Amino acid sequence: MALPMMKRKTYIIFRNFCRNYGVSVDRMVRVRFAPSPTGMMHLGGLRTALFNYLFAKSNNGKFLLRIEDTDMTRKVDGATEKIEDVLNWAGLVPDESPRQGGEFGPYLQSRRIQLYQDSVEKLLNSGHCYHCFCTEKRLALLKKEAIRRQETPKYDNKCRDLTQQQVQDKLDKKVPYVTRFKYEAITEPWTDLVYGEIMDSSTEEAREGDFVVIKSDGFPTYHFANVVDDHHMQISHVLRGMEWSVSTPKHLQMYSAFGWQPPQYAHLPLILNRDGTKLSKRQGDIHVESFKNQGIEPDALLNYLTTVNRGFSGPTDGKTLQELVQMFSLDLVNRHSSRLQPEKLGPLNRKHLQRHFNGNRRQEILNRTRKAVKDHFGDRLVSVHVLEDHYIEPLFQWAIEHRISSIQDLTDPLYEFIWITPTLKHLHHITRKTKNSVSVIEQTIHKLKGMTNFVDAEVKSILKCQCKELGMKTIQYMGIVRASLSEQTDGPPVSEMLEILGKQESLRRLEHALAALRTAS
Ligand code: GLU
């Protein structure tokens, strides 16, 4: 362990010297997001990807996606593709990846098996690794014994002591084996860019024995492939969740055994549920895909992730990814795990949607709204004209200022009146008690037709006057107008509904209601 620590110290002195003299010797910043394709990506994974991306881009570096798919038992079909889809959706487009390719590929570990096999040969030859022929049965027994003695189960390193001849005999007899790494205690601390100096705190008794680097199926374990790839892909910094920090001593030992310079580590504090428990599906879905399906904008979701753990030189509310790049610094990431605050997501999403709508993405928002409405209401729509830009545009403007947080919200039952023609069942029901309902609607149509400025406040005062003239109670009068416009008994105030629907559509609905009442009477 002393060797890489020395090397690192020397490197830092050298780096500072060169910085002082304006010579650039720092390794180019290359970071990777290295998920295992074991299911859908969740918020914790997206946060790790985001911080890697921000760190790379704020240092003029590269952001890689590497899929760690060597555990065949946990691999989920299609997960690899979905991970890259999610990153692209979020705008965290990797510079190198399985899809993009790159000069350090392949970026799927399952396609790099030869490299791991060649690498382990080096450690076998240098005596850092050995073949272990212990059977599953023996290992299970060891574990059982340890549990009985209330000790941490660990491998007893039995095969470390096999002679070369014994090993050869077993290989000749084709006895199945794994390859293990000789694991020694790390006695010096290492520097984590977030947590500072860290000591391997596990005691000798608690530390597991020599760990497996190549399994009996010839595939590497996570630890081995991770180190070999980080080296060969020239990864300069490893930013990963805090839960991986227990693996760091193993990784550093392997770097030392290979004689390679390790990357700098920065472990990121945990994100917790609102109640302080481990992030899990228990408190609402945490899969990125489900946020996407709820109509959360990618930049809003990224922004939401910046509300935990910090890392930014100012408030991040409503900031774009580019702005976050400017504001990000690893030095500002705090060391405490922090809790998600789901109530922040809606307002953030509204902020980002407003920005897109008022910026240069208005047409895209209109198209997405059209699609969401069409998919949701299908042939229940009033008519195709509600899908036209001139109808959707003012409506969206109103909704995003006052009411909704996402495009999907517009399909909420509260806003059905916008899209669906009322069947007038409710109107017939309430007008049974009002003798003059035909003339109520006739006169309302007449008044509204004469209006030039069809906005909430003006409509409201016209309706008020009309109600007074008719000598009706407000609740009764407004009830009739509302029931002519929509099936809903509650929702936004009637004057607001009229403004949202617009003069043309409002009059169309009132005429329709009038005709229906005339036929019925
Ligand atoms: N494959 C690990 C994961 O699924 C990568 C951990 C690391 O970044 O080293 O998160």
Side-chain angles (χ1 to χ4, degrees):
M1 195 43 224
L3 186 63
M5 292 302 293
M6 272 307 295
K7 271 191 171 176
R8 270 173 54 82
K9 279 180 193 158
T10 318
Y11 168 73
I12 289 165
I13 294 167
F14 181 51
R15 187 191 65 184
N16 291 344
F17 168 85
C18 292
R19 273 189 184 160
N20 291 343
Y21 289 92
V23 183
S24 167
V25 291
D26 279 26
R27 277 198 205 180
M28 181 184 180
V29 167
R30 289 177 55 84
V31 293
R32 79 325 189 254
F33 175 49
S36 302
T38 52
M40 303 221 262
M41 198 200 293
H42 63 64
L43 283 184
L46 188 64
R47 190 282 308 263
T48 301
L50 171 65
F51 277 31
N52 272 287
Y53 179 92
L54 295 174
F55 184 71
K57 299 299 158 186
S58 58
N59 285 291
N60 251 330
K62 297 275 187 236
F63 168 62
L64 282 67
L65 169 65
R66 179 176 76 225
I67 301 291
E68 301 207 325
D69 60 346
T70 56
D71 188 346
M72 290 298 147
T73 57
R74 296 182 59 225
K75 197 167 163 173
V76 170
D77 278 351
T80 295
E81 291 70 26
K82 282 228 169 107
I83 290 169
E84 196 155 0
D85 287 345
V86 165
L87 289 184
N88 288 339
W89 170 79
L92 307 177
V93 183
D95 298 299
E96 298 167 29
S97 73
R99 230 175 255 168
Q100 305 265 14
E103 59 175 307
F104 299 89
Y107 295 87
L108 288 173
Q109 287 190 328
S110 55
R111 303 252 179 91
R112 301 169 67 86
I113 303 300
Q114 192 56 49
L115 174 66
Y116 310 128
Q117 277 163 2
D118 295 346
S119 306
V120 85
E121 277 307 314
K122 286 188 191 145
L123 296 190
L124 281 164
N125 291 338
S126 62
H128 289 95
C129 280
Y130 62 89
H131 292 323
C132 164
F133 300 91
C134 290
T135 59
E136 290 291 333
K137 201 168 152 196
R138 176 169 192 276
L139 297 176
L141 246 160
L142 275 181
K143 194 170 171 183
K144 211 167 141 190
E145 267 303 293
I147 292 172
R148 195 184 56 77
R149 289 196 307 267
Q150 297 190 325
E151 287 172 14
T152 316
K154 60 176 173 185
Y155 179 57
D156 60 358
N157 301 350
K158 178 169 179 259
C159 292
R160 250 197 203 206
D161 304 324
L162 292 178
T163 62
Q164 255 183 353
Q165 192 53 50
Q166 285 170 314
V167 171
Q168 197 51 53
D169 287 350
K170 287 183 192 287
L171 288 177
D172 291 344
K173 283 187 202 143
K174 305 240 175 301
V175 179
Y177 65 87
V178 298
T179 307
R180 289 185 185 268
F181 182 85
K182 291 182 184 167
Y183 188 29
E184 304 295 343
I186 287 190
T187 50
E188 289 190 47
W190 70 89
T191 306
D192 184 279
L193 295 176
V194 172
Y195 287 87
E197 293 218 320
I198 300 184
M199 280 294 284
D200 180 8
S201 56
S202 53
T203 59
E204 190 57 49
E205 298 77 55
R207 192 168 303 116
E208 64 180 291
D210 295 341
F211 58 88
V212 177
V213 286
I214 303 282
K215 295 175 277 186
S216 55
D217 61 4
F219 274 65
T221 55
Y222 150 71
H223 300 294
F224 191 66
N226 189 272
V227 163
V228 169
D229 282 345
D230 280 348
H231 172 74
H232 285 280
M233 293 181 174
Q234 297 186 8
I235 296 303
S236 61
H237 298 76
V238 168
L239 275 61
R240 61 184 172 194
M242 190 51 191
E243 66 276 22
W244 296 101
S245 75
V246 288
S247 305
T248 311
K250 287 182 185 165
H251 297 182
L252 288 172
Q253 281 221 348
M254 286 189 275
Y255 278 102
S256 171
F258 276 118
W260 294 339
Q261 182 192 334
Q264 299 197 53
Y265 288 94
H267 287 91
L268 305 172
L270 292 181
I271 302 181
L272 304 174
N273 285 319
R274 187 216 295 274
D275 67 358
T277 54
K278 217 177 136 218
L279 195 60
S280 74
K281 272 187 81 176
R282 241 174 8 91
Q283 296 196 339
D285 209 333
I286 50 157
H287 292 137
V288 176
E289 202 120 321
S290 74
F291 289 99
K292 181 180 165 199
N293 296 339
Q294 283 164 42
I296 298 299
E297 301 296 306
D299 39 12
L301 190 60
L302 296 179
N303 200 169
Y304 178 50
L305 289 171
T306 64
T307 61
V308 285
N309 306 147
R310 302 234 167 72
F312 302 90
S313 57
T316 54
D317 261 34
K319 296 288 189 239
T320 63
L321 186 57
Q322 285 67 34
E323 287 165 335
L324 293 177
V325 168
Q326 307 298 322
M327 297 166 70
F328 180 76
S329 166
L330 212 46
D331 301 338
L332 299 173
V333 174
N334 64 25
R335 297 179 183 184
H336 317 289
S337 29
S338 17
R339 302 173 188 212
L340 282 171
Q341 292 164 284
E343 66 280 5
K344 286 192 174 168
L345 186 55
L348 279 176
N349 204 53
R350 172 183 289 181
K351 234 179 206 172
H352 284 273
L353 258 185
Q354 277 171 342
R355 190 166 45 78
H356 300 325
F357 186 70
N358 296 323
N360 54 8
R361 289 176 54 189
R362 181 169 286 225
Q363 191 57 49
E364 177 209 318
I365 302 287
L366 295 179
N367 295 345
R368 284 169 53 202
T369 307
R370 184 166 20 251
K371 181 167 181 338
V373 167
K374 214 154 110 187
D375 290 351
H376 189 83
F377 295 108
D379 51 16
R380 291 162 66 214
L381 285 173
V382 176
S383 78
V384 283
H385 85 270
V386 297
L387 293 177
E388 285 166 14
D389 279 0
H390 67 82
Y391 185 75
I392 300 180
E393 193 168 355
L395 196 147
F396 194 89
Q397 182 86 58
W398 162 83
I400 198 64
E401 267 164 32
H402 305 285
R403 302 270 176 175
I404 60 164
S405 306
S406 75
I407 290 180
Q408 250 74 353
D409 284 352
L410 273 173
T411 59
D412 190 273
L414 206 60
Y415 306 115
E416 272 191 6
F417 74 91
I418 297 174
W419 316 107
I420 291 182
T421 316
T423 62
L424 303 179
K425 247 192 275 164
H426 186 59
L427 179 69
H428 288 301
H429 179 73
I430 59 172
T431 51
R432 244 179 262 143
K433 294 173 225 152
T434 323
K435 278 193 213 89
N436 58 346
S437 49
V438 167
S439 95
V440 168
I441 300 186
E442 263 174 1
Q443 290 185 46
T444 306
I445 291 176
H446 179 72
K447 281 273 160 57
L448 295 178
K449 258 190 186 158
M451 286 184 69
T452 45
N453 193 14
F454 207 78
V455 295
D456 184 10
E458 308 258 329
V459 174
K460 196 188 239 159
S461 76
I462 292 280
L463 292 184
K464 262 191 178 161
C465 273
Q466 184 60 49
C467 179
K468 223 177 186 173
E469 270 176 37
L470 289 163
M472 291 173 79
K473 283 191 185 141
T474 315
I475 187 162
Q476 192 191 10
Y477 175 67
M478 292 298 182
I480 292 178
V481 183
R482 183 189 288 278
S484 308
L485 299 172
S486 86
E487 211 75 293
Q488 292 162 230
T489 46
D490 54 16
V494 175
S495 53
E496 208 173 321
M497 281 169 87
L498 286 159
E499 182 187 355
I500 299 157
L501 292 171
K503 188 171 172 182
Q504 199 187 354
E505 178 62 16
S506 301
L507 288 172
R508 205 186 64 79
R509 291 193 192 189
L510 286 165
E511 302 273 12
H512 180 67
L514 183 62
L517 286 185
R518 278 191 180 134
T519 323
S521 60

